[in-house]
Amino acid sequence: MSTTTSDMVTLLLGVGGILLFASSVGYILQRKLSPDGSNGAIENLNARIKAWWAMVFLIAVAFIAGRVGVLLLFAFCSFAALREFITLINTRRADHWAIAAAFFLALPINYYLLWAEEYGIYAIFIPVYAFLLMPIIAVLRGDTQNFLLRISEVQWALMICVFCASHVPALLTLQIPGYEGRNVLLIAFLVIVVQSSDVLQYVWGKLFGRTKIAPKLSPSKTVEGFAGGVASATLLGASLWWITPFTPLQAGLMSFIITMMGFFGGLVMSAIKRDRGVKDWGHLIEGHGGLIDRLDSVVFSAPIFFHLTRYWWSLT
Amino acid sequence: MIRDLLAKLASVAIMMFARALTAARAIWHETGLPPRQSIYFANHSSHGDFILIWAVLPPWLRERARPVASAEYWLKSKLTSFIGRDVFDAVLIERDPAARTSDPVEQMATALDDGASLIVFPEGTRNQTEAKLLPFKSGLYHLARKRPDVALVPVWINNLNRVMPKGEFVPIPLICTINFGEPLKVEPGESKEDFIARAQGALLSLAPAQTDNDA
């Protein structure tokens, strides 16, 4: 067994152990506090834990399937996220072709370029080509009402849901000396740090949360949850240095940046939800809401993590 | 035999496609699932409307649900008539009163007597206007009078008109919700106008409050 595989197995066992612990706690809480299923918070907690099992399972399967599996998983995530996003924005009939192009051209081409490892064109395909071509497609219909608003929203949807999200699998394209064949562990590192930060902020907030941090944007987020979550996720990230090309200190710094980007990304996406008058982006993941509700922090941290790693560690 | 198998496969494929495109999700009325036998009446903006209703119904309700559709449209070609007749087992009615050989209300009543549920679009045609709902045709009233024991369930289909507006041939993926309302029945002595107004109101009340998507 290669070290990459054995590290992956160790990680999976660790995550599985934590989930097993979470499921047991959820079960006991449910028996004690909500035997008839009437306590909403506990039912939601258990729905969330169940969904976590499913998500970890899916990611594990993608990792086993290799590069193509990871690309397909994130292409699907981009598709579902874009579908949630476009559902909530202002569109008119004249945008039909531009939106169809976003789904059926921009998204597959973006992931194809990652598969082909054409980094140079991948990095500018959506920010340059799609950015300029989509408003051209839309303008051909001649409908000027709210034009700037409409094209900006579709553009933003594409950047967030496809371009930014695809920086998670883009980690596979990096060439780090001494880290050959282990890139998939970078994805595991990023996903574990971001998601544990979200979960730990939730746990710290539920246990000690008193002071609301952004009552207008996200009434459930607290200063105590934020500080406790970021600190503990940073420590967790530092302790995972052995799966990364980083030293423990570097891994901790990276984790700190990842968790901060994730936190503020969550706030940005909450602001959009408030503006649109919805509580969740969708209903894809039981207990969590839509896919974007789970992916928002990943989307904001992945490109920064990718570029920091690329700039200082990668040859490409 | 092979035709049946093909029809079964096609229905699964169409349903999977509709789900992938729209992540269709039913919101049931607080009184629970609709009765076993119902007449679902819905707003009509796309040829995909009945497919979405059909796709979100649980299997035991779905297997008896038959869409009521225009014979002129669905018998146009071999493919459409295969989909209309074999896949969805539609009750095909002739819309042109001058040319028709059988009475649509009679056909629908017969289907109900066979135990089927019906999916009907009382606006009569796809709504292409800015109005949320076109005025209902009277067929729903006559059917309700003829079979007063069958519950009429209002169903609001949200967003499908944005997925594939008329004249487009590439659908775009958007999340659609299908909102089921409280079943209603025609009251003894209720006039046609009163009943139609009540049914329209029940359906409209299921539409989302803000539809500023077209702003």
Side-chain angles (χ1 to χ4, degrees):
Chain A
M1 196 153 58
S2 73
T3 51
T4 308
T5 318
S6 67
D7 286 352
M8 190 62 80
V9 171
T10 314
L11 278 183
L12 271 179
L13 287 176
V15 173
I18 292 168
L19 280 180
L20 214 56
F21 173 72
S23 290
S24 325
V25 171
Y27 178 75
I28 294 167
L29 282 175
Q30 202 245 343
R31 289 302 291 270
K32 281 203 161 157
L33 299 172
S34 178
D36 50 354
S38 58
N39 187 324
I42 291 185
E43 296 305 314
N44 177 262
L45 175 72
N46 282 321
R48 277 173 185 250
I49 296 170
K50 254 192 219 147
W52 271 118
W53 280 105
M55 288 187 275
V56 168
F57 176 77
L58 271 179
I59 293 176
V61 168
F63 280 0
I64 292 166
R67 210 164 66 91
V68 174
V70 173
L71 282 170
L72 283 177
L73 174 70
F74 281 90
F76 169 77
C77 287
S78 282
F79 174 82
L82 192 60
R83 190 174 59 182
E84 286 173 3
F85 206 112
I86 302 273
T87 301
L88 287 188
I89 66 176
N90 299 288
T91 61
R92 291 172 61 79
R93 282 215 34 201
D95 300 315
H96 198 82
W97 278 105
I99 295 172
F103 274 104
F104 301 123
L105 288 176
L107 193 159
I109 291 175
N110 179 76
Y111 280 92
Y112 166 76
L113 292 171
L114 274 182
W115 177 78
E117 308 209 19
E118 292 281 357
Y119 178 75
I121 179 111
Y122 158 78
I124 57 159
F125 175 66
I126 287 177
V128 176
Y129 287 93
F131 177 73
L132 297 173
L133 291 174
M134 290 218 314
I136 292 178
I137 296 173
V139 85
L140 291 177
R141 288 286 189 92
D143 181 352
T144 57
Q145 197 181 337
N146 284 327
F147 186 69
L148 181 58
L149 184 70
R150 283 156 39 207
I151 55 169
S152 311
E153 287 184 337
V154 177
Q155 204 69 57
W156 221 78
L158 199 58
M159 279 298 284
I160 287 289
C161 302
V162 182
F163 186 67
C164 289
S166 70
H167 279 75
V168 183
L171 288 165
L172 294 177
T173 65
L174 296 178
Q175 284 172 22
I176 303 167
Y179 195 68
E180 289 82 6
R182 287 169 63 77
N183 285 24
V184 69
L185 290 170
L186 273 181
I187 298 183
F189 176 75
L190 171 67
V191 172
I192 289 175
V193 171
V194 179
Q195 299 296 344
S196 66
S197 168
D198 282 5
V199 172
L200 288 164
Q201 285 180 37
Y202 170 88
V203 173
W204 281 87
K206 286 269 175 229
L207 293 178
F208 306 106
R210 300 279 177 278
T211 332
K212 287 194 181 354
I213 194 165
K216 275 190 187 159
L217 298 173
S218 190
S220 59
K221 286 199 167 76
T222 61
V223 177
E224 294 81 359
F226 167 67
V230 167
S232 45
T234 300
L235 283 178
L236 174 75
S239 74
L240 286 174
W241 63 274
W242 50 278
I243 62 165
T244 70
F246 317 134
T247 65
L249 181 67
Q250 288 166 341
L253 268 175
M254 281 290 199
S255 305
F256 179 71
I257 294 168
I258 290 172
T259 53
M260 293 300 281
M261 284 307 294
F263 174 78
F264 287 109
L267 286 188
V268 170
M269 300 309 273
S270 282
I272 297 174
K273 283 191 289 184
R274 300 271 163 261
D275 175 46
R276 298 281 111 183
V278 296
K279 202 182 135 285
D280 291 322
W281 283 95
H283 300 268
L284 195 68
I285 316 176
E286 184 81 30
H288 295 259
L291 188 70
I292 301 183
D293 291 290
R294 199 60 279 132
L295 216 60
D296 51 4
S297 43
V298 182
V299 160
F300 272 75
S301 53
I304 303 287
F305 176 64
F306 173 86
H307 282 290
L308 289 176
T309 311
R310 182 169 183 270
Y311 188 79
W312 270 297
W313 279 273
S314 176
L315 295 174
T316 51
Chain B
M1 184 63 202
I2 287 175
R3 215 180 155 86
D4 285 353
L5 193 69
L6 274 179
K8 186 81 200 150
L9 279 176
S11 81
V12 171
I14 290 172
M15 194 155 71
M16 277 169 61
F17 178 70
R19 287 240 174 94
L21 204 61
T22 66
R25 192 172 61 95
I27 301 171
W28 307 110
H29 188 255
E30 59 203 24
T31 49
L33 287 173
R36 258 186 116 67
Q37 187 180 35
S38 303
I39 300 165
Y40 307 97
F41 65 99
N43 57 320
H44 197 20
S45 58
S46 149
H47 285 307
D49 283 334
F50 74 84
I51 296 175
L52 275 203
I53 297 181
W54 189 78
V56 298
L57 286 173
W60 66 91
L61 294 178
R62 186 194 308 141
E63 64 186 11
R64 59 172 63 206
R66 298 178 64 188
V68 177
S70 129
E72 288 93 331
Y73 179 82
W74 288 99
L75 297 183
K76 248 189 332 210
S77 74
K78 274 203 164 138
L79 180 69
T80 53
S81 82
F82 173 72
I83 293 174
R85 275 202 171 139
D86 296 78
V87 180
F88 292 110
D89 192 18
V91 179
L92 295 174
I93 57 173
E94 293 165 282
R95 279 202 299 200
D96 182 2
R100 69 183 160 213
T101 51
S102 54
D103 175 23
V105 174
E106 200 57 55
Q107 279 177 281
M108 290 188 262
T110 311
L112 287 176
D113 295 341
D114 293 341
S117 290
L118 297 176
I119 300 172
V120 300
F121 301 100
E123 292 166 276
T125 181
R126 284 177 294 154
N127 180 1
Q128 308 296 340
T129 69
E130 293 294 309
K132 276 187 173 177
L133 204 59
L134 298 174
F136 281 7
K137 308 264 186 231
S138 57
L140 190 68
Y141 169 77
H142 295 300
L143 181 62
R145 269 272 166 263
K146 240 187 171 97
R147 297 290 178 270
D149 292 333
V150 184
L152 298 140
V153 179
V155 184
W156 185 270
I157 302 165
N158 197 27
N159 246 356
L160 195 59
N161 53 338
R162 290 173 69 206
V163 169
M164 191 139 135
K166 190 177 186 178
E168 306 289 353
F169 56 95
V170 175
I172 57 173
L174 290 173
I175 295 171
C176 295
T177 45
I178 294 93
N179 214 346
F180 288 77
E182 190 176 16
L184 56 94
K185 283 177 182 172
V186 63
E187 305 287 342
E190 189 173 27
S191 76
K192 187 171 92 181
E193 289 69 28
D194 288 352
F195 171 79
I196 292 287
R198 193 157 65 91
Q200 287 182 166
L203 185 52
L204 270 176
S205 73
L206 300 172
Q210 33 85 274
T211 45
D212 59 359
N213 282 323
D214 253 330

